[in-house]
């Protein structure tokens, strides 16, 4: 019921959220990887982190970032109402800046930040993932624009394409894109 309220709130605010299909995928990966340390980049209403928490369970510690304290007030309340058992910490600020300050590695990193930050987020995520950890990024087909052969591209499309190309070029990763929503890129850091 709380997820429905979150979706209705996002709709009223005209605020894009991952949606239920992506949410379920996040939940599945949190469960499959037995993720206990999770970084959620750019989850301003707490929607994606709620889905992640459903799969991760009581042992999980989720660090979620957003640029707005007001949205975090909403996220905290939604997480409380949903009676999620994971432990949440909330950091206001740019996700890339927050991730740079983290000393430990993460089991799962989810990104839905401003598209101009995608290339930087990919590099930071890979650096901060444990072997066997998973990086998931939303909007990686960017409405199909990254698949276009035109030479004229807007800056966000170019950033998303650069993000994708870099991840697929890394020998230390297994990467794929699932055709969900605007394209969900999943990269697994290889074990040594």
């Amino acid at each position: 019921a709380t997820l429905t309220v979150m979706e209705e709130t996002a709709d009223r605010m005209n605020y894009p959220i991952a949606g239920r299909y992506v949410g379920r995928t996040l939940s599945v990966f949190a469960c499959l990887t037995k993720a206990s340390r999770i970084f959620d980049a750019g989850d301003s209403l707490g929607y994606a982190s709620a889905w992640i928490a459903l799969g991760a369970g009581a042992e999980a510690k989720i660090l979620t970032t957003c640029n707005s304290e007001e949205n975090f007030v909403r996220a905290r309340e939604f997480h409380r109402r949903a009676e999620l058992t994971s432990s949440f910490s909330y950091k206001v600020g740019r996700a890339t800046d927050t991730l740079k300050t983290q000393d430990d590695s993460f089991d799962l990193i989810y990104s839905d930040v401003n598209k101009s930050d995608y290339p930087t987020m990919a590099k930071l995520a890979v650096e901060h993932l444990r072997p066997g950890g998973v990086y998931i990024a939303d909007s990686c087909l960017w409405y199909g624009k990254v698949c276009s052969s035109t030479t004229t591209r807007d800056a966000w499309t170019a950033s998303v394409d650069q993000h994708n190309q870099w991840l697929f070029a890394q020998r230390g990763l297994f990467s794929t894109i699932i055709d969900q929503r605007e394209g969900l890129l999943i990269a697994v850091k290889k074990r040594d």
Side-chain angles (χ1 to χ4, degrees), residues 15-126:
Y15 195 87
I17 57 174
R20 289 197 176 228
Y21 291 122
V22 170
R24 286 183 182 275
T25 301
L26 294 174
S27 219
V28 166
F29 274 96
C31 183
L32 284 173
T33 60
K34 298 178 181 163
S36 62
R37 240 180 94 64
I38 299 159
F39 187 85
D40 182 13
D43 186 15
S44 57
L45 292 179
Y47 186 79
S49 56
W51 278 104
I52 291 168
L54 288 171
E59 300 301 314
K61 294 180 180 169
I62 302 172
L63 172 57
T64 184
T65 64
C66 176
N67 287 326
S68 163
E69 180 62 43
E70 181 182 341
N71 282 344
F72 270 151
V73 169
R74 288 186 186 98
R76 283 184 192 101
E77 178 59 18
F78 284 137
H79 291 159
R80 187 195 63 73
R81 286 172 57 187
E83 299 177 358
L84 299 166
T85 57
S86 296
S87 167
F88 291 91
S89 55
Y90 305 88
K91 180 75 174 171
V92 176
R94 196 171 188 165
T96 51
D97 292 340
T98 301
L99 190 52
K100 283 177 193 174
T101 67
Q102 301 303 302
D103 294 328
D104 295 330
S105 60
F106 291 91
D107 304 310
L108 176 70
I109 297 175
Y110 172 66
S111 176
D112 194 11
V113 296
N114 285 334
K115 305 312 167 241
S116 59
D117 284 342
Y118 263 43
T120 302
M121 179 53 72
K123 292 171 184 163
L124 287 168
V126 171

